[in-house]
Amino acid sequence: MIRDEIRILVKQALTNAQAAGDIPQFAAPEVTIEHPQRAEHGDFSANLPLRIQGLAKMKAIEVAEALRNHVPNHTAISEITVAPPGFLNLYLDPNWVTDQIATIIDSGSDYAATQRFAGQRAQIEYVSANPTGPVHVGNGRGAAIGSTLANVMRSAGYEIAEEYYVNDAGTQVSIFGRTLYARYQQLFGRDVDIPENGYPGEYMISIAKAVKEAHGDTFLRSENEGADPEFAQIGIGIQIENIRNDLKLMGVEYDEWFSERSLMTENGSYDAIIRLLRDQNFVAERDGAVWFTSTEVGESKDNVLIRSDGAPTYYATDIAYHYDKFIIRNFDRVIDIWGADHQGHVSRVKAGVTAVGGEPNKLDILLYQLVTLKRQGKVVILSKRAGEIITLRDLIDEVGADATRFFFLSPSANQAMDFDLDLATKQSDENPVYYVQYAHARIAGIIAKAREEGKSSDSANASLLSHEAEQTLIRKLLQLPEVLETVVDDLAPHHLAHYAQELAQAFHTFYTQCRVINDDESLTKARLLLLEAARVVLARTLTLMGISTPDRM
RNA sequence: GCCCCCGUAGCUCAGUGGACAGAGCAGCGGACUUCUAAUCCGCCGGUCGGAGGUUCGAAUCCUUCCGGGGGUGCCA
């Protein structure tokens, strides 16, 4: 990308200036190139002179002058200026800019893809909500972040496995099973109550009905007997299918639904990590429970692996799961995306991973802050225990999948988020996602009309595109590679949502100021060419976000 | 108590070492005989929570205080 080329030019300028004796010798720091806020400061700027003025024992402005004289020629750069207190400002050549349109169109749906991480396998685990109930709104945020990050990382060359960890073992599942069995018995006329800490939601009745439909009274036992152990798993299976369908509404589909139970059966990772921890004397028995003495590896406290009732904790199976990710499947990189309510779990999972032979620096745990729903300015309480919960499916029904994803994607992950249902529904015309999609629809409309009129971009002369709005739009198109790099390096997909709005804005401004189909045949051709490039980049941006690209609205 | 996240325009948020701090919404004023007005243009709006410090330069880094959220289970 052009920013990288400019970075090399500036670095070379320093080397040249030092070789020429205009700047003293010293080791060059990392060169950073940025976009100045103000257009009169150029397309790119380097603050290197300010950074090295101390090393050079020169005034920054003099360093800048010396550097400017030694920047190698490059077809993309038409002018370099020095600005106080010591910036080097670089201006793109308008003809080089218009030449890039063809490159963008040629790349098509691969535009801004790179091979930066080619050959590396990364696993991204996200949502992983308990299969004991519906996915709620907060899980939707994880879904939007995770699937977008997966898309963008794939475009950077990673081979990505998207995965949902199914907590189909443990305490919550047995409570689920007991609740479901009570509902199941009720369907056969028995007067039983759901357990005290059970799941009161209506959906449990639906699952019970589904079991009854598929299996009849097969699972009905005598009154004072508990349910068949398999019964809960059948219910869990049904609920997983519901979750899969709900997430699919948002365009989220996984490569793997990984069963927690399997770790303790055919997978074997659970036994493996217990053995590994024992072999290293990281295990102690206290109060009838088995503990990981994680204080020995720097944790603030020890953690239980096996409860006094013999059941493994979530923590133990999570270590086993990560053992599977790192040791069995040997991923080069693992990214877990969790809600901030799991924040206390981060450090001890890393400690566990380290203790069983994984490399904690290959594990990134991306936390997103919690989502609160607001309706009529009031917070809607979200709880599986409360009678009325708003599920992800409800939200998508109300708001639509595209707006849901865009809303979840817009704020940075570590910003707590209010999802204003009134804004997202009643005032949906003002929703930014429509602004972006409308730009795409407008482009599609013009291209279709041009085709009807027999006009095309064949043998267009792009250098005619000298209008300020045209140049601004093309320069914005050229920024997508930079945005994607930031998204991957910072694990911050929200930048894509902001870029999408900036891109749409550049287009709408162009649309207003520059009529595409006009009396000047060669200008029409050139602008149609620009439209094709804009469509490529806009579609690419929306597709990476998992948002549709309507041709009309 | 301790740990994590946040505090930027009336509201929702970008910006996390650079130039005069930005956008959307809201408010005010303009622009449709034109390829979609779900649009565009202009105006208004800020002690970047407070105070110290580091730096040529701080919304950004450090310290401390205040305020909001989350965590601190033999739940997940």
Side-chain angles (χ1 to χ4, degrees):
Chain A
M1 86 181 80
I2 183 61
R3 191 177 60 182
D4 291 337
E5 293 180 42
I6 289 173
R7 183 181 295 123
I8 292 165
L9 289 181
V10 172
K11 202 169 177 180
Q12 188 62 46
L14 177 58
T15 308
N16 293 351
Q18 289 179 318
D22 293 350
I23 293 176
Q25 290 290 341
F26 52 82
E30 181 97 356
V31 174
T32 57
I33 301 294
E34 57 188 20
H35 295 280
Q37 286 183 9
R38 307 174 74 81
E40 66 257 36
H41 291 144
D43 295 292
F44 293 95
S45 74
N47 61 11
L48 187 66
L50 292 154
R51 304 255 310 279
I52 64 175
Q53 57 183 321
L55 290 167
K57 300 189 176 71
M58 294 165 66
K59 285 182 180 172
I61 198 97
E62 292 165 1
V63 177
E65 278 296 348
L67 286 179
R68 186 174 67 130
N69 295 333
H70 289 286
V71 177
N73 286 327
H74 189 288
T75 52
I77 305 300
S78 62
E79 191 187 0
I80 302 172
T81 61
V82 167
F87 289 100
L88 211 52
N89 293 330
L90 300 97
Y91 297 76
L92 289 176
D93 181 272
N95 286 318
W96 179 86
V97 169
T98 52
D99 281 347
Q100 303 314 302
I101 295 174
T103 312
I104 292 170
I105 294 170
D106 287 346
S107 306
S109 59
D110 284 332
Y111 177 60
T114 72
Q115 295 298 312
R116 276 173 79 204
F117 299 99
Q120 292 199 45
R121 294 167 56 244
Q123 191 242 21
I124 304 182
E125 180 219 324
Y126 59 99
V127 182
S128 301
N130 263 342
T132 53
V135 278
H136 57 72
V137 168
N139 299 135
R141 186 173 191 185
I145 291 172
S147 66
T148 301
L149 197 56
N151 292 340
V152 177
M153 287 180 68
R154 215 175 271 120
S155 84
Y158 278 109
E159 182 187 320
I160 298 287
E162 292 173 79
E163 197 155 309
Y164 190 115
Y165 181 49
V166 182
N167 299 120
D168 54 0
T171 314
Q172 295 306 318
V173 170
S174 77
I175 295 170
F176 171 90
R178 290 202 298 277
T179 307
L180 185 63
Y181 190 55
R183 291 300 193 196
Y184 180 72
Q185 291 179 88
Q186 286 170 2
L187 294 179
F188 291 97
R190 286 187 186 171
D191 182 21
V192 290
D193 293 329
I194 62 168
E196 193 152 322
N197 294 317
Y199 295 95
E202 289 285 316
Y203 67 91
M204 292 299 288
I205 299 171
S206 308
I207 297 172
K209 283 179 179 164
V211 175
K212 184 185 172 188
E213 205 163 293
H215 302 278
D217 62 359
T218 315
F219 289 101
L220 206 59
R221 292 185 172 183
S222 60
E223 300 263 354
N224 44 15
E225 224 180 336
D228 184 315
E230 202 195 326
F231 180 78
Q233 288 306 320
I234 287 175
I236 291 288
I238 291 167
Q239 186 52 33
I240 288 170
E241 210 42 45
N242 292 339
I243 290 171
R244 191 198 304 266
N245 290 330
D246 288 356
L247 290 171
K248 209 170 172 178
L249 291 176
M250 258 181 84
V252 171
E253 297 190 61
Y254 290 91
D255 298 302
E256 177 85 28
W257 293 70
F258 193 98
S259 158
E260 179 185 4
R261 284 179 89 209
S262 73
L263 292 165
M264 287 168 287
T265 55
E266 70 266 22
N267 177 282
S269 289
Y270 173 73
D271 290 338
I273 64 113
I274 296 291
R275 196 165 50 241
L276 273 169
L277 293 175
R278 277 195 202 281
D279 288 349
Q280 298 172 91
N281 291 318
F282 281 145
V283 168
E285 305 207 5
R286 286 200 293 269
D287 309 322
V290 176
W291 297 70
F292 172 29
T293 54
S294 39
T295 45
E296 290 179 44
V297 291
E299 285 296 285
S300 58
K301 60 192 188 77
D302 292 342
N303 293 99
V304 172
L305 293 169
I306 306 174
R307 292 194 288 258
S308 50
D309 66 2
T313 59
Y314 168 76
Y315 179 48
T317 52
D318 222 11
I319 294 173
Y321 181 35
H322 285 83
Y323 175 85
D324 177 85
K325 297 184 190 195
F326 281 109
I327 309 299
I328 307 285
R329 286 188 282 170
N330 198 27
F331 282 108
D332 298 303
R333 194 166 177 200
V334 169
I335 297 170
D336 295 344
I337 299 175
W338 298 347
D341 53 339
H342 288 61
Q343 165 256 120
H345 198 51
V346 171
S347 156
R348 60 176 196 256
V349 164
K350 289 200 173 187
V353 166
T354 309
V356 298
E359 288 185 45
N361 59 334
K362 290 182 176 175
L363 172 63
D364 283 297
I365 299 176
L366 174 56
L367 297 176
Y368 59 89
Q369 297 297 312
L370 300 184
V371 178
T372 49
L373 278 181
K374 276 195 174 163
R375 202 191 281 283
Q376 282 152 11
K378 287 191 340 194
V379 174
V380 182
I381 306 296
L382 296 173
S383 166
K384 283 186 187 178
R385 312 268 168 206
E388 190 189 358
I389 64 172
I390 295 181
T391 64
L392 179 61
R393 178 178 281 266
D394 294 336
L395 181 69
I396 295 170
D397 285 348
E398 251 188 85
V399 180
D402 287 340
T404 297
R405 287 191 70 122
F406 198 94
F407 262 67
F408 279 137
L409 232 33
S410 291
S412 83
N414 45 21
Q415 180 77 239
M417 164 180 190
D418 283 336
F419 201 116
D420 188 332
L421 285 166
D422 299 310
L423 185 78
T425 56
K426 286 176 192 164
Q427 302 178 22
S428 61
D429 286 1
E430 289 150 16
N431 193 311
V433 69
Y434 295 111
Y435 179 80
V436 178
Q437 288 181 316
Y438 185 49
H440 187 272
R442 272 183 153 175
I443 292 170
I446 300 169
I447 289 175
K449 184 177 161 72
R451 189 174 296 127
E452 277 171 31
E453 296 181 8
K455 296 178 175 171
S456 79
S457 61
D458 291 350
S459 61
N461 176 10
S463 68
L464 296 172
L465 300 170
S466 57
H467 192 284
E468 189 187 349
E470 294 165 337
Q471 286 280 324
T472 301
L473 175 56
I474 305 165
R475 284 162 212 237
K476 191 54 77 177
L477 300 180
L478 294 173
Q479 280 177 26
L480 181 62
E482 298 169 22
V483 174
L484 297 188
E485 184 174 287
T486 304
V487 169
V488 172
D489 291 349
D490 297 352
L491 302 180
H494 73 280
H495 292 296
L496 205 47
H498 288 271
Y499 172 74
Q501 290 180 84
E502 289 172 9
L503 178 56
Q505 182 181 47
F507 168 75
H508 286 307
T509 297
F510 157 79
Y511 175 92
T512 307
Q513 296 186 15
C514 303
R515 191 173 169 79
V516 175
I517 300 172
N518 60 69
D519 295 337
D520 182 335
E521 192 188 339
S522 48
L523 187 59
T524 299
K525 281 181 176 296
R527 285 180 174 166
L528 282 171
L529 193 73
L530 172 53
L531 277 194
E532 287 167 26
R535 184 179 197 167
V536 162
V537 181
L538 207 43
R540 177 83 164 125
T541 302
L542 286 168
T543 302
L544 285 169
M545 287 192 285
I547 293 171
S548 67
T549 54
D551 285 347
R552 60 181 55 198
M553 288 174 71

